[in-house]
Structure formats: structure tokens, C-alpha cells
């Protein structure tokens, strides 16, 4: 994702020695070395696809990110077919049967998000200014690398593999960072409560039973 270089309010910069962790991410105001930066113009959701031929089917893993807020649920889609509430980066693998044209959701992978309440796993973002990173290849780059945490696959249970996402924002005076972005015309739910927890608490009493 590329950022317009002529707007210093867009990229967020942090030097490696002052690497900072936080429970949440406010994309509109990231303060680094006394300077405030704003990523709000790059708020999502934004998706990319990883497509593989897996005869007799076709696999399409769609990775969706919203750097500014948790991803919203899609109305009419079963909860088991989407990442849990609080997710910022989600991977969903679809399996397409080329013979009959049908498809199914094969895997749902919560890669990063703030699950502090439901699973005690925060987003805990880390920021690195590219030109100050340890990689020599980044020496001539101006931009930001963000590490996002909290994900696990499978999500529920005591097992599973910890997940994380690394997202780079590169300054480019000739690009907005939204070129080729695909929209999602599906209707979304208003609530972004973590795992629907806020909604569940409103529907249940203190003893965990539904109120009349």
C-alpha cells in the first residue's frame, strides 16, 4: 500500500529504537518523535486474493484488512464463515468446484485483531520506520511497517498457531494507495462488537440467562 509523499499527515513513522506497543491502534493520530501522522485516508476494508489451482477445484484465499477499525460482519452470512468481531486482518479460503460451479468456505483465519475481552489477546501494534529498520533493502524507503497481533488459528480452544500481520505503507507522490481497490457492496451490520459480546450482554442478564 503506497502513500502520497506530499501529505505528511498520511504515513506514520517510528524509529526502531523507540519501538512501542499499544493495546489499540488509532489510525488518525499516531504520534512518533513528537510528530503526528494520519492513516485515516487508507481506512478499509481492502482485500487482496491468493488464487491457486487445486484440481478438481480452485482455491481463493481472500485477505481483508481495515487499518482503522474492526471489520464489520456481512448481513446474511453465517458467523462461522467470517472472522470474529474485533478482527482487523482476516483470511478466508474459498474452494470453488470447477465442475459444477459451486463454492464453499474452507477455512476462516483470524490473522490480527483486538480480542482482549474474549480471548485475552490484544492487537498490540508495533511500528517501524522503514529507513531505520534492520533490513538493508529498506534503507532508501520512506514509509512505515506495522506489525499487528492477536490472531490464532484455529481461533477457539487452547491449541492453535499464533498469527500476525506485517503491513508496509510506502510513500509515493504519484499514488493515493487506493489504486485497484475493490469495493464490497454487501450490506454490513452496524455493530463491530468483539465477537458480538456487547450484543450478547445486552440480550442476557447478569446470570447469563436471556431476559424476558
Amino acid at each position: 500500500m503506497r502513500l502520497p509523499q506530499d501529505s505528511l499527515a498520511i504515513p506514520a513513522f517510528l524509529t526502531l529504537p523507540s519501538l512501542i506497543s499499544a493495546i489499540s491502534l488509532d489510525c488518525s493520530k499516531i504520534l512518533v518523535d513528537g510528530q503526528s501522522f494520519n492513516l485515516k485516508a487508507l481506512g478499509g476494508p481492502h482485500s487482496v486474493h491468493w488464487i491457486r489451482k487445486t484440481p478438481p477445484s480452485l482455491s481463493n484465499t481472500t485477505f481483508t484488512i481495515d487499518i482503522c477499525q474492526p471489520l464489520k460482519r456481512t448481513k446474511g452470512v453465517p458467523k462461522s464463515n467470517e472472522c470474529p468481531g474485533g478482527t482487523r486482518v482476516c483470511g478466508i479460503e474459498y474452494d470453488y468446484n470447477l465442475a459444477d460451479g459451486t463454492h464453499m468456505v474452507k477455512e476462516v483465519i483470524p490473522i490480527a485483531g483486538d480480542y482482549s475481552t474474549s480471548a485475552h489477546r490484544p492487537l498490540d501494534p508495533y511500528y517501524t520506520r522503514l529507513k531505520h529498520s534492520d533490513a538493508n533493502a529498506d534503507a532508501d524507503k520512506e514509509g512505515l511497517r506495522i506489525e499487528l497481533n492477536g490472531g490464532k488459528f484455529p481461533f477457539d480452544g487452547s491449541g492453535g498457531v499464533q498469527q500476525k500481520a506485517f503491513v508496509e505503507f510506502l510513500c509515493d507522490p504519484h499514488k493515493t494507495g487506493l489504486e485497484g481497490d475493490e469495493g464490497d457492496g454487501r450490506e454490513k451490520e452496524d455493530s463491530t462488537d468483539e465477537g458480538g459480546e456487547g450484543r450478547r450482554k445486552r440480550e442476557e442478564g447478569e446470570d447469563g440467562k436471556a431476559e424476558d
Side-chain angles (χ1 to χ4, degrees):
M1 186 172 289
R2 296 183 177 272
L3 307 175
Q5 204 166 27
D6 57 352
S7 176
L8 289 180
I10 295 298
F13 301 146
L14 269 178
T15 59
L16 191 61
S18 60
L19 207 59
I20 296 175
S21 68
I23 295 300
S24 61
L25 189 161
D26 181 359
C27 72
S28 65
K29 187 177 182 181
I30 301 176
L31 186 63
V32 185
D33 296 336
Q35 188 167 0
S36 181
F37 301 92
N38 191 342
L39 290 171
K40 190 173 182 178
L42 297 177
H46 307 292
S47 297
V48 295
H49 304 278
W50 178 33
I51 300 175
R52 293 95 63 207
K53 292 182 179 180
T54 53
S57 63
L58 186 73
S59 293
N60 174 11
T61 303
T62 299
F63 298 96
T64 303
I65 180 174
D66 193 328
I67 198 68
C68 292
Q69 65 178 349
L71 295 167
K72 293 183 178 182
R73 293 190 183 278
T74 305
K75 286 188 176 182
V77 174
K79 289 184 178 181
S80 59
N81 286 355
E82 293 190 314
C83 285
T87 299
R88 295 289 187 102
V89 185
C90 178
I92 301 179
E93 182 180 355
Y94 300 90
D95 189 78
Y96 292 87
N97 189 313
L98 300 179
D100 59 17
T102 60
H103 71 279
M104 61 177 290
V105 173
K106 186 176 181 180
E107 303 283 9
V108 176
I109 308 171
I111 298 172
D114 188 357
Y115 313 110
S116 300
T117 303
S118 63
H120 308 291
R121 294 196 304 273
L123 183 65
D124 202 18
Y126 289 84
Y127 312 95
T128 306
R129 190 176 180 179
L130 292 178
K131 63 169 53 179
H132 291 163
S133 75
D134 292 333
N136 293 331
D138 294 334
D140 296 328
K141 296 179 181 179
E142 186 60 282
L144 169 75
R145 179 183 296 115
I146 301 180
E147 175 187 330
L148 302 175
N149 298 277
K152 184 167 74 77
F153 178 75
F155 184 77
D156 296 317
S158 59
V161 178
Q162 301 295 323
Q163 306 289 315
K164 64 175 60 179
F166 293 90
V167 187
E168 289 190 358
F169 298 86
L170 302 177
C171 294
D172 189 325
H174 306 295
K175 296 182 181 295
T176 66
L178 301 176
E179 289 80 3
D181 186 47
E182 61 179 56
D184 186 350
R186 298 177 299 174
E187 189 175 3
K188 301 295 182 179
E189 295 183 0
D190 292 334
S191 173
T192 57
D193 289 339
E194 180 182 292
E197 188 165 358
R199 182 172 57 255
R200 177 179 58 80
K201 288 181 177 179
R202 290 193 295 270
E203 295 172 349
E204 297 179 356
E206 293 298 326
D207 60 356
K209 295 180 180 180
E211 295 178 336
D212 294 332

